Amino acid sequence: MSKYSIAWMPGDGIGQDVMEAARLVLDAMRFDAEYVPCDIGWEFWCREGNALPDRTVKALQSTTCGLFGAITSKPQDDAVKELAPELKSKGLSYFSPIVKLRQMFNLHTNMRPCKSYPGNPLNYRGTALGNPGGGDVPVDQVIFRENTEGSYVGVEFRPIPEAIYTALCANPKMKAWKEKGLENLALSTRIMSKQGCESICRQAFEFAKRNGRKRVTLVEKPNVLRETGGLMTRVFRDMAESYPGIWADEANIDAICMWMFKNPQDYSVLVAENMFGDIVSDLCAGLVGGLGFAPSANLGDKYAVFEPTHGSAPKYAGQYKVNPIAMLLTVKMMFDWLGENERATRLEAAIARVIREGKVRTYDMGGKDTTLDVAKAIAAYAA
Ligand code: NAI
Ligand code: MG
């Protein structure tokens, strides 16, 4: 029997390419695991009307953790058009299977490290005034994104049902909206709980404390989103008091897009609700070379699913052109979570070495090598 059982979910598009790269490296490192193939993604939506079949949910329940490539998601109207003919009239709604997985398995924390590795030609060099000497701006950030609440819960309406409109009219600001016609209105909600805010802030502060990081920054917008943003800000401030050695500061989502561009090296740990975390993590990924370098972990109390931040990039699907490094850094995060610390260190060192040497590079780094070429080069150093 293998030591671990890994739910193997390549999903769609380049998810397949980068997972093949992951397997190559896992095998070279003689990782003691069995891999349980699981159906997930667009193909299963089109064929079965369900992008996350029940058999996949069941299979996941008997594994140690999951490794996931990417999925394709489309807006509801487009999704229905691609359903098998016999399913078209069934009133099925598309939902993103990875968002659903996060909710079903209560994977409340999305951890997204963004770190620049020396020698990466895509490393951020800052603005000319802020970095007159040129050279890479060293970035080493970890984003903690709340993963199960906020505007990703899927509580949305179009048109707005009369009963909901009536309830909303308890707020006098809503009255004027009726003149626009209820059929012309759409409503998306952002629902957050005190528990959800506490949990994500706790994860961020604990991580900072364990890893000797000195600053935790909350990314919010409490001046406009007064209730949800206000709740998160209060929780953050209260919690900061129990971490006296850590500088806890706050930034609005719009402001941090500017500050991150000017002074990314100043930030260390960032914490945010679901959508702001999604936004800021792509921004940070851009500073360290783009989506080809951005790993992530969906962490619950007992289960976790690891996935690169990027999506299925349909235009590159099956071409083995994209960078596998995001996926391989994701495997490194899986090793960390499993307590396979020596393997994690070995894999990260191999990735850093291949980046530093610059001999094998995918298109995004200016090279012509394939996804699997890069994986093989990393595997050779990690083995
Ligand atoms: P995307 O992340 O798939 O790709 C955007 C662009 O980033 C690509 O065209 C490519 O230029 C670059 N890129 C992405 N991964 C790369 C890699 N490993 N190496 C080099 N370059 C890379 O985002 P996009 O185009 O917005 O979405 C495509 C599909 O993916 C959509 O259906 C979307 O819903 C889905 N998606 C799924 C996610 C997931 O599975 N968690 C996350 C984001 C998007
Ligand atoms: Mg995103």
Side-chain angles (χ1 to χ4, degrees):
M1 223 180 90
S2 306
K3 188 166 176 196
Y4 304 111
S5 165
I6 311 292
W8 193 257
M9 297 175 278
D12 300 312
I14 61 162
Q16 305 262 347
D17 304 28
V18 296
M19 285 284 277
E20 198 176 321
R23 186 58 187 272
L24 203 149
V25 171
L26 285 163
D27 288 349
M29 295 184 79
R30 295 193 187 80
F31 183 55
D32 185 9
E34 60 151 348
Y35 301 97
V36 181
C38 293
D39 296 339
I40 191 166
W42 195 247
E43 183 188 336
F44 302 97
W45 161 255
C46 297
R47 246 196 291 154
E48 304 175 22
N50 188 355
L52 180 64
D54 294 344
R55 59 184 178 280
T56 297
V57 175
K58 225 170 145 203
L60 257 65
Q61 282 159 352
S62 58
T63 55
T64 321
C65 63
L67 202 57
F68 174 83
I71 44 97
T72 294
S73 281
K74 297 185 188 180
Q76 176 66 6
D77 295 350
D78 300 344
V80 170
K81 278 189 206 137
E82 292 189 37
L83 274 176
E86 68 276 14
L87 296 173
K88 278 206 169 83
S89 58
K90 297 215 160 151
L92 297 168
S93 316
Y94 177 81
F95 55 82
S96 157
I98 186 68
V99 173
K100 183 89 186 258
L101 263 189
R102 291 167 182 161
Q103 285 164 5
M104 273 183 139
F105 286 81
N106 193 20
L107 306 176
H108 43 70
T109 299
N110 194 197
M111 183 179 170
R112 297 182 159 188
C114 289
K115 181 168 164 184
S116 52
Y117 290 93
N120 185 349
L122 301 169
N123 280 343
Y124 186 58
R125 296 187 159 223
T127 58
L129 279 178
N131 187 17
D136 294 355
V137 176
V139 174
D140 185 4
Q141 299 162 350
V142 183
I143 294 128
F144 285 83
R145 165 191 177 192
E146 202 294 320
N147 216 16
T148 51
E149 302 192 346
S151 26
Y152 290 57
V153 175
V155 178
E156 303 192 278
F157 306 93
R158 181 179 63 91
I160 303 186
E162 184 81 43
I164 290 180
Y165 182 79
T166 309
L168 288 174
C169 280
N171 185 327
K173 288 178 201 153
M174 274 305 294
K175 290 226 164 81
W177 287 80
K178 196 160 194 174
E179 286 159 25
K180 299 189 164 128
L182 288 191
E183 70 285 5
N184 294 321
L185 302 184
L187 171 69
S188 299
T189 62
R190 176 168 113 141
I191 308 178
M192 287 156 61
S193 70
K194 186 167 182 231
Q195 292 87 334
C197 296
E198 281 174 350
S199 164
I200 198 65
C201 290
R202 178 74 65 202
Q203 296 284 336
F205 279 112
E206 281 298 313
F207 174 86
K209 189 173 153 188
R210 269 199 316 277
N211 293 281
R213 290 185 177 245
K214 298 273 175 276
R215 183 178 187 182
V216 177
T217 306
L218 172 67
V219 179
E220 248 307 327
K221 186 80 183 174
N223 51 335
V224 175
L225 298 167
R226 306 183 81 83
E227 297 307 334
T228 46
L231 174 64
M232 179 67 122
T233 304
R234 264 196 313 280
V235 165
F236 178 79
R237 287 181 187 172
D238 284 351
M239 198 169 289
E241 287 180 14
S242 28
Y243 296 87
I246 297 172
W247 174 26
D249 69 324
E250 298 159 21
N252 282 343
I253 177 67
D254 47 344
I256 202 151
C257 291
M258 186 270 295
W259 288 118
M260 205 47 94
F261 185 73
K262 283 177 84 98
N263 304 317
Q265 69 280 7
D266 292 350
Y267 292 94
S268 179
V269 177
L270 299 141
V271 59
E273 63 82 51
N274 213 333
M275 181 179 279
F276 292 162
D278 199 4
I279 294 170
V280 84
S281 58
D282 272 25
L283 173 68
C284 296
L287 301 169
V288 299
L291 291 172
F293 296 86
S296 87
N298 301 285
L299 307 171
D301 293 335
K302 296 202 182 85
Y303 196 74
V305 173
F306 300 86
E307 54 158 338
T309 297
H310 64 72
S312 61
K315 70 178 176 197
Y316 294 119
Q319 298 177 29
Y320 296 101
K321 271 188 81 167
V322 296
N323 197 335
I325 289 178
M327 183 78 232
L328 298 176
L329 289 169
T330 299
V331 172
K332 183 248 174 209
M333 293 185 83
M334 180 180 81
F335 287 155
D336 282 332
W337 186 78
L338 291 170
E340 293 278 342
N341 302 336
E342 185 276 329
R343 272 202 174 82
T345 308
R346 191 149 43 102
L347 177 54
E348 189 181 20
I351 294 169
R353 185 167 163 194
V354 167
I355 294 174
R356 192 172 63 243
E357 291 178 350
K359 288 191 272 199
V360 191
R361 286 176 169 173
T362 43
Y363 84 93
D364 54 325
M365 298 175 81
K368 289 202 167 79
D369 299 298
T370 69
T371 308
L372 299 183
D373 291 336
V374 174
K376 280 178 200 155
I378 291 170
Y381 290 145

